Amino acid sequence: PDRKLTLTVVSEPELSYSVQYEGKEIVVPSKLGIKLKDEEPFASFNFVTEFLAHDNKWTYPWGRQVNYVDHYNEILITLIEKSASNRVLKLQARVYNDGLAFRYLIDEQTVNKKEYLLEQDLTEFNFSGNPTAWFTTYEGPNGYQEEYFLKNPLQSIAANNVMGCPVVVQISPEGPYVALTEADVKTWGGLFFKTGNSDDNMTRLKAVLSPRVDGNGLAKSVAPDVSPWRVFIVAPKAINLVDQTIVMNVSTPAESYDPFAWIKPGRSAWDWWSDTNKNMSTDSIKKYIDFAASQGWEYSCIDAWWYANPNILKGSDKVNMEEVVQYAKDKKVRLFLWLYWDTIITEHQMDEAFSLYEKWGIAGLKIDFMNREDQEMIEWYDKAVKKAAQYKLLINFHGAFKPNGYRRSQPNLITREAIRGNEYNKWSKLTPEHYCTLPYTRLILGPADFTPGAFLNRHFDGPDIEGYSTAQGIGTRAHELAISLLYDSPILNFCDCPEVMLKEDAGCLAFYRDLPTVWDESYGVEGEIGEYFSLLRKKGDNWYYGAITNKDARTLSLPLTFLGKGQFEATIYADTPETDKDARKINIETKTVSASDTLKIKLEREGGQTIVFKKTASQ
């Protein structure tokens, strides 16, 4: 719509596409097509085109913003084979200001019978030369999707490995950036990428889909059907990647959000990250419920193993669930329950368990260890989330695949893992660069249960904090508060235990007591992938600013023009010079500011800063 981004499709000598941005080719000619079982590959087409311009607005109250603009130009290309069979394949493409997407439409003219088996997605994603990129690598198109996004030349991936979504490509040192992913996945296996036949002049990426477990190709489905959208997020600068809306825009909406009015985002205590809850019992669960209640948090998550394994309908010998449930009700704290996924594989198991949990008043389920993204698993996700909605249960998937816009259809899928989160600090150390890479990579796809909230903060190259047996976080205390603000998750699970948080508080729990988990607006401010990141958010009349940096200290500048008229009380949670030696050190101060002011944001190494702007009481 703003004329900067162009998609070109040609049918000869083979069906292919290319992408141009401000007149420069950023995706070079790349193959299109699919291969169906017992069918010859599609080749040599005539085509008919239809154009559509669309500009609409819609709202979604459970995420990083409420208002969305769905503005695109669309082309529907009907490709008719020149051979005697006259088979038809349709390609639907939409170009937005922040990216583009296309998908294949398969109907009865595409296949000789209504059922089809997809053997191969022939789509390629090709780039000039060997550009710098950020991507995760896996031994195959499956798994738990919790690896680092590392900065590498795009051709550096080993021949036997695949890349997960998103792959973020820096086209040139000046930009733009292209992030490759998918959306609205219904009946095909999940998308990965593999290099093939690359050379000095071009890097060729091929689509690789997670195969069906039963061996029937990549997808078994019935026409009419649509493939997932192949999505290209295009941004002039890295920071603009975080403002994309295309993944949600191309995803199928719910018929109405009225049936989901029961969904309540919020903050949660969590008992697993800290070693203080190794021996789960009725009393240990009550401790976390008490803490959540004392902080005004809406939830407490009861993790593994609360139930009498494999019986998920009753507590273990040490956990009296009837007592726990009533105690939480009295404290006005809702509960999440952890489950191993294979305890609720069938619809009968779901009905039996979910109806009991609704009777108990359980708020949601943390379902774990799926570790797959094949068609059968994608369909199981859909069944589980829809069944949970019948019983007014929220879902937090762990051991999960990446977000793909499905939450627009089913917003009770409130968050998920598919991220190398804070739990890795229990047995290793997350790198400072990792924290500053996630906002531009995994987090552009959707919410993530990163579980911030470590109050034992240390530097990456520093020793453990003595006197504690619990897990410890990497980065400064101000950094830890900042990621709680910067990393989207409508259910925000705070990882540390009550004993540590209360002892090490230093005034920081007040920040968590007032922290929203969904927002009216969110905007990237400035940053570079792996180096630093800053963001503005708005909730009601209040503004929130957060910034983090990697191993390098830096100073940023924040003009306050976004505040508008009037005076605001700014509460600042910042690093101090002492933070360099003790990452727990933090300075909290309050000052009166207005839109004419500019603040200096000083970040120590592995540091951060958050600022809460509230209109003064006189306004």
Side-chain angles (χ1 to χ4, degrees):
D2 66 6
R3 319 305 294 175
K4 292 183 179 180
L5 189 61
T6 304
L7 172 69
T8 302
V9 179
V10 300
S11 60
E12 301 292 346
E14 66 175 358
L15 184 63
S16 65
Y17 74 95
S18 59
V19 180
Q20 300 77 35
Y21 182 75
E22 294 186 333
K24 177 183 178 181
E25 195 164 56
I26 58 174
V27 179
V28 300
S30 304
K31 187 174 181 179
L32 290 165
I34 58 175
K35 172 69 172 68
L36 304 179
K37 186 177 181 181
D38 300 327
E39 298 278 350
E40 291 296 319
F42 290 89
S44 191
F45 296 99
N46 293 313
F47 60 87
V48 178
T49 59
E50 301 173 55
F51 292 91
L52 171 70
H54 180 88
D55 191 357
N56 193 24
K57 295 179 180 179
W58 58 280
T59 60
Y60 183 87
W62 302 289
R64 71 189 311 273
Q65 66 192 78
V66 171
N67 297 308
Y68 285 78
V69 176
D70 190 20
H71 188 195
Y72 59 81
N73 293 325
E74 178 179 292
I75 186 171
L76 178 63
I77 307 175
T78 301
L79 298 145
I80 306 167
E81 275 194 312
K82 295 178 181 179
S83 63
S85 66
N86 287 326
R87 286 186 305 172
V88 171
L89 180 65
K90 294 180 181 178
L91 182 73
Q92 182 183 22
R94 294 177 182 173
V95 183
Y96 293 77
N97 290 337
D98 62 349
L100 63 95
F102 58 74
R103 64 181 178 180
Y104 303 103
L105 279 59
I106 300 168
D107 59 24
E108 291 184 52
Q109 293 177 286
T110 310
V111 293
N112 293 328
K113 51 188 177 181
K114 294 195 70 175
E115 185 176 272
Y116 73 89
L117 289 178
L118 177 71
E119 282 192 343
Q120 192 175 358
D121 181 348
L122 301 174
T123 311
E124 295 183 355
F125 311 82
N126 301 332
F127 298 91
S128 179
N130 184 18
T132 298
W134 291 261
F135 51 85
T136 53
T137 61
Y138 303 96
E139 293 181 355
N142 253 321
Y144 48 87
Q145 302 193 17
E146 297 170 19
E147 292 297 328
Y148 281 117
F149 284 83
L150 298 178
K151 180 181 180 180
N152 283 301
L154 197 52
Q155 292 182 19
S156 64
I157 182 174
N160 59 337
N161 285 350
V162 298
M163 302 177 229
C165 291
V167 172
V168 178
V169 181
Q170 184 178 6
I171 300 301
S172 73
E174 299 76 33
Y177 292 76
V178 178
L180 304 176
T181 189
E182 64 179 337
D184 214 31
V185 184
K186 291 184 171 72
T187 58
W188 288 20
L191 175 66
F192 294 77
F193 306 92
K194 190 171 186 176
T195 57
N197 300 322
S198 300
D199 55 37
D200 291 341
N201 297 317
M202 183 177 70
T203 300
R204 188 187 305 272
L205 298 186
K206 296 184 176 183
V208 178
L209 273 57
S210 185
R212 286 177 55 89
V213 173
D214 66 5
N216 284 319
L218 307 175
K220 181 180 180 181
S221 192
V222 176
D225 194 21
V226 295
S227 77
W229 290 100
R230 300 317 184 207
V231 178
F232 302 69
I233 302 165
V234 181
K237 297 180 180 179
I239 192 65
N240 305 121
L241 290 168
V242 308
D243 296 330
Q244 70 82 20
T245 57
I246 186 173
V247 171
M248 288 286 276
N249 269 327
V250 298
S251 296
T252 302
E255 290 185 9
S256 169
Y257 289 131
D258 292 342
F260 297 98
W262 53 271
I263 294 177
K264 305 296 182 187
R267 293 76 46 85
S268 180
W270 179 43
D271 59 29
W272 181 86
W273 192 75
S274 171
D275 288 340
T276 62
N277 206 41
K278 280 183 176 177
N279 298 311
M280 183 178 288
S281 66
T282 300
D283 287 341
S284 70
I285 294 172
K286 286 181 177 179
K287 177 181 69 176
Y288 283 85
I289 293 171
D290 284 340
F291 187 54
S294 72
Q295 300 304 310
W297 300 346
E298 295 83 356
Y299 300 100
S300 186
C301 180
I302 305 174
D303 217 286
W305 293 86
W306 64 270
Y307 55 82
N309 190 29
N311 184 358
I312 60 175
L313 304 179
K314 68 185 297 289
S316 71
D317 292 341
K318 296 181 179 180
V319 177
N320 183 326
M321 281 305 295
E322 288 75 15
E323 184 177 342
V324 165
V325 165
Q326 186 58 52
Y327 191 81
K329 287 180 180 177
D330 293 342
K331 293 287 185 175
K332 294 182 171 52
V333 173
R334 306 281 317 274
L335 299 175
F336 268 72
L337 299 180
W338 179 92
L339 294 177
Y340 203 100
W341 86 277
D342 66 1
T343 59
I344 50 168
I345 292 177
T346 69
E347 196 163 350
H348 171 73
Q349 289 170 316
M350 291 180 192
D351 275 315
E352 187 176 19
F354 294 0
S355 62
L356 174 64
Y357 300 156
E358 183 184 37
K359 181 180 177 181
W360 283 354
I362 300 302
L365 304 175
K366 177 180 176 180
I367 303 175
D368 208 346
F369 288 111
M370 290 74 70
N371 295 350
R372 288 166 34 202
E373 199 176 359
D374 50 80
Q375 182 185 19
E376 294 102 319
M377 182 57 72
I378 288 169
E379 291 173 344
W380 184 87
Y381 271 46
D382 181 66
K383 180 172 67 174
V385 174
K386 288 177 177 175
K387 182 63 67 174
Q390 293 178 25
Y391 297 98
K392 293 183 170 56
L393 293 168
L394 299 171
I395 295 295
N396 173 6
F397 281 133
H398 273 233
F401 57 76
K402 84 277 181 182
N404 55 33
Y406 178 80
R407 62 194 172 102
R408 187 179 178 191
S409 306
Q410 291 291 139
N412 65 306
L413 176 48
I414 198 73
T415 192
R416 71 173 79 196
E417 195 176 29
I419 193 169
R420 182 173 285 248
N422 240 354
E423 69 176 20
Y424 278 78
N425 284 320
K426 287 191 69 170
W427 55 82
S428 60
K429 293 191 293 186
L430 296 178
T431 68
E433 291 73 25
H434 177 61
Y435 291 98
C436 295
T437 300
L438 288 174
Y440 307 92
T441 52
R442 161 62 180 86
L443 287 163
I444 67 176
L445 302 186
D449 191 21
F450 186 88
T451 67
F455 271 32
L456 293 178
N457 313 102
R458 59 175 174 157
H459 290 293
F460 184 79
D461 60 1
D464 288 352
I465 300 170
E466 296 182 357
Y468 291 94
S469 61
T470 56
Q472 301 181 11
I474 297 299
T476 71
R477 175 68 63 81
H479 176 280
E480 194 74 21
L481 297 185
I483 63 173
S484 306
L485 169 70
L486 298 174
Y487 291 5
D488 287 294
S489 186
I491 296 294
L492 195 53
N493 283 289
F494 296 125
C495 62
D496 227 328
C497 62
E499 295 90 334
V500 170
M501 282 190 146
L502 290 171
K503 184 176 180 180
E504 298 285 335
D505 178 16
C508 296
L509 281 170
F511 175 75
Y512 285 156
R513 281 194 289 270
D514 292 334
L515 182 64
T517 63
V518 295
W519 306 92
D520 299 336
E521 304 172 38
S522 299
Y523 306 101
V525 179
E526 61 175 317
E528 295 293 342
I529 305 177
E531 297 180 20
Y532 69 107
F533 175 65
S534 58
L535 187 74
L536 274 171
R537 297 192 188 272
K538 190 180 184 186
K539 185 71 171 179
D541 291 331
N542 300 330
W543 286 90
Y544 297 75
Y545 170 81
I548 55 174
T549 186
N550 59 8
K551 65 182 184 302
D552 298 321
R554 67 185 77 234
T555 300
L556 309 178
S557 179
L558 180 64
L560 303 185
T561 52
F562 58 89
L563 290 176
K565 296 180 180 179
Q567 291 188 320
F568 287 74
E569 180 183 85
T571 303
I572 303 169
Y573 300 81
D575 298 321
T576 76
E578 296 174 289
T579 304
D580 186 66
K581 293 184 178 180
D582 185 349
R584 291 172 292 176
K585 296 296 184 181
I586 188 169
N587 182 65
I588 304 173
E589 64 173 315
T590 301
K591 62 173 64 176
T592 300
V593 298
S594 67
S596 61
D597 294 322
T598 296
L599 297 182
K600 182 182 291 187
I601 310 298
K602 182 99 167 61
L603 308 175
E604 299 294 336
R605 64 186 178 104
E606 301 165 25
Q609 187 167 145
T610 58
I611 309 174
V612 181
F613 300 93
K614 293 186 176 181
K615 277 209 169 184
T616 57
S618 61
Q619 300 175 63

